[in-house]
Amino acid sequence: MEYKRLGSTGIKISPLVLGTMQFGWRVEKEESFAIMDKALELGINCFDTADIYSYWADNSYPGKTEKIIGEWLKDRAVREDLILASKVRGAMSKDINDQGLSRRHIWQAINGSLKRLQTEWIDLYQIHSFDNDTKIEETLHALNLLVEKGLVNYIGASNIHPWMLVESFWVSEKNGYVRFETVQPPYSIVRRMLVEHQMYNVIKKYNLGVISYSPLAGGFLSGKYSRNAPLPESPRSESVKKRYFTEHRLKVLDTVEEIAENKEVTVAQVALAWILTKDFITAPIIGVNSVEQLESNLVALEIKFDQDELKKLDEVSDWIPAYEAIR
Ligand SMILES: NC(=O)c1ccc[n+]([C@@H]2O[C@H](COP(=O)([O-])OP(=O)(O)OC[C@H]3O[C@@H](n4cnc5c(N)ncnc54)[C@H](OP(=O)(O)O)[C@@H]3O)[C@@H](O)[C@H]2O)c1
């Protein structure tokens, strides 16, 4: 496996990151342990989580996912082998101050995450999205302190607008704070614009690491969905239908299916391999519900497209990329 430098940081990560959102929601502890064991064994050295996972599920609560990871880290004694990424921002309880990016909540959140994860540090601590109620100066001051105290190595930002990121760099520079080193946006062959529009320029100019999420569009590109097939049994299927069943995206899926069939690989493998052709993405974060899905998705690392295939995929999913529009 070829490890990649994470933006301007000094660390290297695997070309696929293991997502953990489904731990405690779609898969319980035993299967979660098996997936993490296999991921590490296969060379994936970076896991992504968040303090709120998986608050939305009837069978779960905020912090459950981190707790499962923490138990695994302790049981397997592998903390040193991993780049661990988590997030702060979402509501951890009904308390109005137990959410957001205030200094108070960031301290509360890091203490909770470190305890649940049973670790002394988090490698990459990300804001889960922006917080309009808190000044970026306050947030960055708090995050800077976490780095100074050795509780966090790097900070990153998920679901943030490009202009906010640039503003945050000015604040970091002016005050001598650490800056956001990574971004975590959604990115897939059916959801390109968010990254390829203005964010692309910021990523390049500031040499940011990009660990993008939902590479299979929440399952739309997993092979289980197709233009005329009934929706698969999944708690995500209704939201997938709502977001992705448009003519443009179904045409992209048709092409991915066609190329997968010709290459005798899976739809998911083609969709992941296409992301791996994009040099501005450091590593997509994959979400799997079983060891079998994990092993299957990793085959994407070996798939190469010829020029015709790549042209077809790029064109069918295209919009006007910012780097061409500004030429
Ligand atoms: N920062 C954020 O706001 C944010 C948001 C979302 C996710 N994330 C991160 O990104 C990770 C991945 O996100 P995601 O779950 O949306 O990723 P995804 O890869 O787009 O979708 C994963 C889903 O695809 C299906 N799948 C995956 N591999 C498959 C295979 N080989 N065969 C059949 N089905 C397969 C499963 O669907 P079924 O469940 O239907 O079986 C799985 O739940 C998360 O775990 C989390 O760490 C971050």
Side-chain angles (χ1 to χ4, degrees):
M1 199 172 284
E2 212 174 296
Y3 292 83
K4 299 172 83 176
R5 185 168 297 283
L6 184 60
S8 311
T9 74
I11 52 175
K12 287 188 179 160
I13 63 166
S14 42
L16 294 173
V17 171
L18 182 72
T20 60
M21 190 171 76
Q22 63 285 4
F23 295 171
W25 169 35
R26 303 299 307 287
V27 286
E28 289 301 337
K29 184 172 157 178
E30 200 180 324
E31 188 68 15
S32 306
F33 272 36
I35 293 170
M36 290 188 279
D37 283 343
K38 185 51 82 177
L40 196 59
E41 181 197 319
L42 294 174
I44 294 186
N45 76 341
C46 183
F47 291 6
D48 175 74
T49 191
D51 57 358
I52 53 166
Y53 295 167
S54 9
Y55 75 90
W56 55 86
D58 290 343
N59 63 334
S60 192
Y61 52 86
K64 185 176 175 187
T65 305
E66 282 189 336
K67 198 161 167 284
I68 291 173
I69 298 170
E71 285 164 8
W72 178 81
L73 285 172
K74 187 165 184 219
D75 191 74
R76 306 302 202 248
V78 289
R79 178 63 189 93
E80 297 284 345
D81 304 334
L82 272 182
I83 302 296
L84 192 56
S86 192
K87 308 185 201 85
V88 52
R89 160 74 177 91
M92 292 300 286
S93 70
K94 288 190 175 137
D95 177 350
I96 49 160
N97 285 310
D98 198 9
Q99 59 180 288
L101 296 174
S102 68
R103 187 176 293 121
R104 183 181 196 277
H105 180 60
I106 288 174
W107 276 103
Q108 213 173 5
I110 189 76
N111 285 324
S113 284
L114 291 174
K115 202 165 159 199
R116 285 187 294 273
L117 289 165
Q118 305 199 42
T119 181
E120 286 170 9
W121 84 100
I122 288 171
D123 295 281
L124 176 64
Y125 200 48
Q126 303 152 105
I127 59 167
H128 212 144
S129 68
F130 53 90
D131 173 6
N132 275 331
D133 293 336
T134 307
K135 282 190 292 186
I136 187 69
E137 284 82 356
E138 175 171 340
T139 299
L140 283 168
H141 179 244
L143 293 173
N144 190 64
L145 268 176
L146 300 188
V147 175
E148 279 181 355
K149 289 198 173 294
L151 304 178
V152 162
N153 279 333
Y154 301 101
I155 61 169
S158 182
N159 302 309
I160 190 169
H161 297 294
W163 69 265
M164 291 176 164
L165 209 48
V166 175
E167 184 191 37
S168 82
F169 294 151
W170 293 341
V171 171
S172 287
E173 199 175 318
K174 185 172 158 210
N175 294 286
Y177 300 155
V178 289
R179 67 161 206 180
F180 293 122
E181 295 289 351
T182 63
V183 285
Q184 185 178 141
Y187 187 69
S188 69
I189 194 167
V190 287
R191 209 172 171 195
R192 295 175 58 177
M193 201 173 113
L194 269 176
V195 168
E196 293 182 26
H197 190 33
Q198 290 302 322
M199 188 59 94
Y200 172 87
N201 296 315
V202 181
I203 290 165
K204 285 286 176 187
K205 174 154 180 154
Y206 293 92
N207 192 16
L208 301 178
V210 184
I211 53 171
S212 52
Y213 71 82
S214 295
L216 300 180
F220 180 65
L221 300 162
S222 66
K224 291 191 294 236
Y225 296 78
S226 199
R227 186 179 279 278
N228 297 315
L231 288 183
E233 290 239 345
S234 164
R236 304 180 80 170
S237 63
E238 279 304 325
S239 66
V240 166
K241 184 180 171 198
K242 205 166 147 200
R243 185 187 289 260
Y244 295 105
F245 272 62
T246 62
E247 189 47 37
H248 177 69
R249 284 168 165 160
L250 285 166
K251 264 194 195 135
V252 179
L253 181 56
D254 293 341
T255 307
V256 174
E257 282 172 347
E258 182 197 313
I259 289 177
E261 201 181 324
N262 289 344
K263 292 179 93 64
E264 299 185 355
V265 298
T266 70
V267 168
Q269 287 160 0
V270 169
L272 288 171
W274 176 85
I275 297 181
L276 298 172
T277 67
K278 302 295 173 198
D279 69 352
F280 47 86
I281 303 290
T282 312
I285 310 172
I286 54 170
V288 293
N289 291 327
S290 64
V291 169
E292 292 70 34
Q293 286 186 358
L294 174 70
E295 288 180 311
S296 174
N297 291 356
L298 253 70
V299 173
L301 294 169
E302 283 140 42
I303 293 178
K304 297 277 174 275
F305 299 113
D306 64 32
Q307 275 189 352
D308 279 355
E309 290 166 337
L310 202 52
K311 191 164 176 275
K312 258 190 187 172
L313 290 168
D314 280 337
E315 284 183 2
V316 73
S317 61
D318 199 17
W319 67 287
I320 302 171
Y323 48 87
E324 282 180 13
I326 56 166
R327 265 194 218 136

